[in-house]
Amino acid sequence: MGKKKETITIYDVAREAGVSMATVSRVVNGNPNVKPVTRKKVLETIRRMGYRPNAVARGLASKKTTTVGVVIPDISYAFFAELTRGIEDIANMYHYNIILCNSDLKKEKEMQLIEALLEKQVDGLLFLGGEVTEEHREIFSGAQVPIVLAATHDEVDKDRPYVTIDQVQAAKEATGILIREGHKRIGLLGGPLTDPIIGFPRYQGYKEALEEEGIPFNENWVRLGNYRYNSGLEAAKELLGMVDAPTAIFAVNDEMAVGAIHAVQDRGLDVPKDVSVMGFDNIPLASQVRPLLSTVAVPMYDIGAVAMRLLTKYMNDETIEENQVVLPYRLELADSTRLKEL
Amino acid sequence: MGKKKETITIYDVAREAGVSMATVSRVVNGNPNVKPVTRKKVLETIRRMGYRPNAVARGLASKKTTTVGVVIPDISYAFFAELTRGIEDIANMYHYNIILCNSDLKKEKEMQLIEALLEKQVDGLLFLGGEVTEEHREIFSGAQVPIVLAATHDEVDKDRPYVTIDQVQAAKEATGILIREGHKRIGLLGGPLTDPIIGFPRYQGYKEALEEEGIPFNENWVRLGNYRYNSGLEAAKELLGMVDAPTAIFAVNDEMAVGAIHAVQDRGLDVPKDVSVMGFDNIPLASQVRPLLSTVAVPMYDIGAVAMRLLTKYMNDETIEENQVVLPYRLELADSTRLKEL
DNA sequence: CTGTTAGCGCCTTCAT
DNA sequence: ATGAAGGCGCTAACAG
């Protein structure tokens, strides 16, 4: 493990090949200004000596690391794992590597991570999923590299690039499905209302849908969870235990929605006959449950991919036409609701 | 975005603070050999100037990047996401960052990624989940940094550090549960038998369990999938359609197991009354299904955490007592099987 | 405790 | 098409 063999440098290769460092450097970097014969010779001695370019040295000299930082709430959430896959695929395609950091949505940790990433001279930064506060804006603006938000946006800095979906509208439409099924008592399994990215907007959409259709809004039918299965299960249990229990439940994410389905079933009731359930996100779980979950299909992979692509444009000084992208979502009506057509 | 402000270096700070670069460096790195007054002064001008250390330069000079490479099959698999979380947490604890790469188990891509990671001078490497071939051994042995395997091991190089579980034994015990429930016709939803890490060993365990108990092994009850939900669903459908259909199914991972549960239910049968189902891994999905899935609880997070911890020991030249760790697993008997006690 | 001095390995003009 | 030389920003002896 980790034998300290003498590291062989570009200089060694140059000497061995009878050329200068500059020439070796050119060959390594695919600079066309090298006579084919020379190139061949260098390439050969590189292989023979087992030379491996030192990207750190290159980074110092060229001021580019071909590495981008990714700050994400929690990779063990299916939603973010999917998104990260999109990021990594595109990064890989453009020959970037990603340094992945979990923030757990802790502001202090986020700051720390961003700082560390910038010290490591990443060529760009992707910030996912959390609220963008004044402190964020401060450190962002002090960065000398492009920063793109994914699955979130900045309420204040209207110029900050981002890629996301229209949360309010999607939640509104999802709720609308339940309304059009004829439900009057529609429960909400929400996230923290202090969460300006997911929790609040989706709650907002729910409320707006009710208002628009003149359906009474009942505070008691709103339960706030933490986006996890168990919180959905428990909250739904409470809802179903009420005398005027809801006949439909809109959960602001799929995990909670599946929890709700099971709460209904555990009570001996049927989904969607007795209670309709609508989710949000369309993580794999949505199609790994019975009945199949109706949900808002969020293009998770694409959000990551598009955000990363946008970042590469910044990093390469390409002209960018649209730096704030709102991706389309789609209602995926399956078996946990009764309406099958939009 | 990315304003090219003049980068301020350690030299600028030194000049401004009226000390030498060395002193600033000492302060930045927490070297105790600095008079408190001096330290304070330096710290102050650092803050005032907004100096941010350049980790790339530091890496070149110190030959340490405090970054480790992680090659993983696919972050969108719950199993690996969980594992990665363990890795990242420990990495973070020891002030390392991780460069995450998805290999999709493609050997060529793996080689490429490892090469790139080594060029980036990672201080160590974690290789997850795939087969270790001769080519792997070659590049591993050429690396000047420690490399540890997680959730896999090397059949040939008996010294290569790893952290995993006893796949065969676990599969054997899982199958044993089904046998002790009285089943004689036990189906297997396996992975590719060419996969020496998961597919084959778990198949092996299944077979051994049958043999030991004198239960007939029937080729027809063995279906190989790709570890995904749908492949489990489809394969189970086939099994259930047979005239001598199995009365119990052992799936070598949870996704396929849940697919099997649904295949049974979609057929109007009951789990576990008509068919028992046993999974493997204990990903969150196992407890987000009805009936709750009985499974082999693999300490995914711990595998990642322990592997990373082991790697830090190598990187810091700590004495390490055990460099090949076989973590314990646990049978988690829930509602998809009938046996409740071991 | 603090300063001086070499590099670390490579890129990048600038000559040739 | 190729070589020479000066950094990139920081760490690490080595003096003092």
Side-chain angles (χ1 to χ4, degrees), chain B residues 92-127:
Chain B
N92 191 59
M93 190 173 300
Y94 285 85
H95 304 294
Y96 282 94
N97 285 115
I98 69 173
I99 297 185
L100 184 76
C101 306
N102 296 99
S103 71
D104 290 314
L105 287 185
K106 302 272 183 20
K107 186 156 128 189
E108 188 151 355
K109 197 168 174 195
E110 285 176 349
M111 290 303 143
Q112 231 172 262
L113 294 173
I114 294 170
E115 179 63 27
L117 256 9
L118 293 177
E119 287 186 4
K120 292 209 167 167
Q121 311 300 119
V122 292
D123 292 339
L125 196 60
L126 245 33
F127 183 76

Side-chain angles (χ1 to χ4, degrees), chain B residues 312-331:
Chain B
T312 64
K313 287 184 183 169
Y314 274 108
M315 296 187 295
N316 300 322
D317 294 310
E318 296 179 37
T319 65
I320 97 167
E321 52 316 301
E322 195 63 279
N323 77 336
Q324 302 188 321
V325 186
V326 177
L327 254 25
Y329 56 83
R330 185 170 47 75
L331 289 186

Side-chain angles (χ1 to χ4, degrees), chain A residues 1 52 55 66-67 74 85 88 97-98 100 102 104 115 119-120 146-147 229 262 266 288 290, chain B residues 1 5 52 55 66-67 74 85 88 97-98 100 102 104 115 119-120 146-147 229 262 266 288 290:
Chain A
M1 305 288 313
R52 175 150 45 214
T66 61
T67 303
D74 185 349
R85 194 52 159 98
E88 222 268 319
N97 285 114
I98 69 173
L100 183 77
N102 296 99
D104 291 313
E115 178 64 29
E119 288 186 3
K120 292 209 168 167
I147 297 177
Y229 173 86
H262 292 151
D266 289 352
Q288 298 172 178
R290 290 295 183 273
Chain B
M1 305 288 311
K5 302 198 190 158
R52 174 147 48 212
T66 61
T67 302
D74 185 348
R85 194 50 158 98
E88 222 268 319
N97 285 115
I98 69 173
L100 184 76
N102 296 99
D104 290 314
E115 179 63 27
E119 287 186 4
K120 292 209 167 167
I147 296 178
Y229 173 86
H262 292 152
D266 289 352
Q288 297 173 180
R290 291 292 182 273

